Amino acid sequence: MNYEAALDTALQRLHDEGRYRTFINIERRKDQFPHAVWTKPDGSQKDITVWCGNDYLGMGQHPVVLGAMHEALDSTGAGSGGTRNISGTTVYHKRLEAELADLHGKEAALVFSSAYIANDATLSTLRTIFPGLIIYSDALNHASMIEGVRRGNGPKRIFRHNDVAHLRELIAADDPAAPKMIAFESIYSMDGDFGPIREICDLAEEVGALTYIDEVHAVGMYGARGAGVAERDGQMHRIDIINATLGKAFGVFGGYIAASAKMVDAVRSYAPGFIFTTSLPPAVAAGAAASVKFLKTAEGQMLRDKQQLHARILKSRLKGMGLPIIDHGSHIVPVHVGDPIHCKMLSDMLLERFGVYVQPINFPTVPRGTERLRFTPSPVHDPKEIDGLVHAMDELWRHCALNRAEMSA
């Protein structure tokens, strides 16, 4: 086989379809987020505003977080020294897991190197713990959940997105005595819609199924203490396993699960993705714990309120111009483009002409024909920046002669 030619063909296909992914060099500056500096290929620099970051509340720049990280770095050094089983467990890891368990009202929590690994490792390992487990997975679940369900090599059922009636049909067709788990998300990040948590929990209790929820895009953002949508809706106690991240609203790095002490102990003891991975650096664990603790407070609620306000303002203004936004009431603001080449072109023009950084979202992250720009306003995007974004979108939408018929949620 001509391997070089195969590589050329594979890469050219992405270019031809308009979905080749380009990384741009940006540098976030302390105390200046959402402002950053873009270093162009020719070495010149341009000031830009980040509009697609997942540091939803700006906690990656918060002095409480940075102070905790400095303290841990000065005390312990850079790395953790190994896996959690071999010298990689520190007081900082235990403190972080205690904060997370408290956040979600669970007996225990377990920290992984990312929420992707937490999903993959946990879901695949549950089949070892519960032989014959049937996993019912929402059709739009994240790639990490899909991979974890697939790697478990057990029976799986895919129910139509947020369709509890279809889920019920699938469960009814299976052996009532078989162990079951329903895996779904609280917020689906590409459309910004919410999962039907209460209805799924009702069905799970009825049929004796476990529940597994991904709150990655919701922790820090919803609920009285930032535990997520399940907390906001009063359903957190009904969820058996909660998965989430430390790298979005908490502004640091890593992922975790929260569950009963026995469930966490079993995953800890059996999951290769946990057992054989070097643990988070202590400074990262310390910063994450400080962020989680801070966002439980009234000050954290102020950040959440301000972020939601900015999201509503941006949606309202984009709707007022007739742009096709997808609005399900969450903090995520997707603008439908529907063509990968146009989507990439808009992204490039926003960056070059207006200093607005937003990455195009193309297949396979979203289905073909649903390509979009996905904006994530934060508490630190001020009215002037929102104004600049709105005017830039209006001008470019007109320039590209794109559809202004508003999409319904």
Side-chain angles (χ1 to χ4, degrees):
M1 182 177 184
N2 186 331
Y3 296 105
E4 290 293 322
L7 289 169
D8 288 339
T9 299
L11 291 170
Q12 188 59 47
R13 184 164 60 247
L14 296 177
H15 283 288
D16 292 343
E17 294 176 3
R19 58 187 186 92
Y20 179 78
R21 298 175 188 233
T22 302
F23 297 155
I24 74 166
N25 294 322
I26 64 171
E27 182 181 355
R28 297 195 348 163
R29 298 284 173 87
K30 182 183 174 183
D31 299 328
Q32 295 182 28
F33 184 75
H35 303 131
V37 176
W38 168 37
T39 301
K40 301 181 183 182
D42 64 4
S44 63
Q45 294 187 324
K46 181 181 178 69
D47 291 333
I48 63 171
T49 302
V50 177
W51 275 100
C52 59
N54 286 334
D55 185 358
Y56 290 136
L57 301 176
M59 290 302 293
Q61 303 279 315
H62 200 283
V64 167
V65 175
L66 300 185
M69 295 184 75
H70 279 297
E71 184 276 328
L73 183 64
D74 292 341
S75 296
T76 70
S80 67
T83 66
R84 291 291 294 276
N85 300 299
I86 305 175
S87 77
T89 295
T90 71
V91 63
Y92 299 101
H93 296 89
K94 300 301 287 183
R95 189 179 300 156
L96 172 57
E97 287 172 343
E99 285 288 355
L100 293 168
D102 172 75
L103 175 69
H104 293 289
K106 301 298 183 186
E107 293 176 340
L110 189 66
V111 172
F112 292 77
S113 54
S114 73
Y116 188 108
I117 297 299
N119 268 332
D120 185 5
T122 302
L123 286 166
S124 59
T125 298
L126 288 172
R127 297 192 190 278
T128 302
I129 299 169
F130 305 109
L133 179 69
I134 304 171
I135 299 181
Y136 302 84
S137 179
D138 188 286
L140 294 189
N141 276 344
H142 189 265
S144 58
M145 299 176 76
I146 294 170
E147 184 65 15
V149 171
R150 184 190 67 78
R151 279 205 316 109
N153 293 322
K156 65 179 185 294
R157 313 284 184 255
I158 310 302
F159 61 94
R160 289 187 294 269
H161 178 52
N162 280 350
D163 190 336
V164 179
H166 185 224
L167 172 60
R168 179 180 288 277
E169 290 174 13
L170 294 175
I171 292 174
D174 285 321
D175 180 358
K180 300 174 178 66
M181 169 172 279
I182 304 169
F184 64 109
E185 299 186 38
S186 64
I187 296 180
Y188 293 84
S189 64
M190 289 302 107
D191 282 351
D193 58 328
F194 295 91
I197 300 175
R198 186 185 303 274
E199 292 83 355
I200 286 178
C201 288
D202 288 345
L203 178 57
E205 289 178 1
E206 183 182 328
V207 301
L210 295 170
T211 49
Y212 184 107
I213 193 169
D214 181 307
E215 289 259 32
V216 159
H217 289 273
V219 287
M221 305 295 293
Y222 298 86
R225 299 199 308 156
V229 180
E231 181 189 33
R232 182 198 70 178
D233 294 351
Q235 303 298 302
M236 197 161 56
H237 63 289
R238 305 177 74 191
I239 303 293
D240 292 294
I241 302 176
I242 296 170
N243 164 277
T245 183
L246 303 167
K248 291 184 169 60
F250 293 130
V252 191
F253 181 77
Y256 64 92
I257 62 168
S260 69
K262 252 181 214 182
M263 184 74 77
V264 166
D265 194 21
V267 173
R268 178 190 71 84
S269 301
Y270 280 94
F274 175 81
I275 294 170
F276 298 106
T277 300
T278 298
S279 64
L280 292 182
V284 171
S291 184
V292 172
K293 185 175 183 179
F294 177 85
L295 287 178
K296 294 175 183 177
T297 67
E299 290 178 272
Q301 187 59 49
M302 288 172 63
L303 285 179
R304 286 189 283 277
D305 290 343
K306 194 170 183 181
Q307 195 281 332
Q308 291 286 341
L309 173 63
H310 288 178
R312 288 195 300 271
I313 290 171
L314 181 59
K315 288 178 185 177
S316 175
R317 295 196 61 186
L318 293 176
K319 280 182 181 178
M321 296 190 306
L323 267 62
I325 83 162
I326 304 167
D327 185 5
H328 292 280
S330 73
H331 62 284
I332 295 168
V333 186
V335 179
H336 182 268
V337 178
D339 177 89
I341 294 173
H342 284 157
C343 202
K344 178 68 167 64
M345 180 175 64
L346 281 168
S347 172
D348 289 345
M349 288 192 295
L350 282 166
L351 183 64
E352 184 66 52
R353 292 173 56 181
F354 299 98
V356 169
Y357 176 49
V358 58
Q359 278 284 11
I361 307 294
N362 293 331
F363 178 84
T365 306
V366 296
R368 296 180 193 275
T370 69
E371 292 83 3
R372 70 209 49 192
L373 299 174
R374 177 181 172 275
F375 297 97
T376 53
S378 76
V380 291
H381 284 95
D382 63 31
K384 181 180 177 182
E385 286 153 354
I386 294 174
D387 210 39
L389 170 60
V390 169
H391 287 305
M393 287 292 287
D394 187 31
E395 181 175 329
L396 291 183
W397 219 258
R398 187 185 310 111
H399 174 78
C400 297
L402 295 174
N403 176 32
R404 287 188 184 253
E406 183 181 330
M407 295 185 69
S408 59

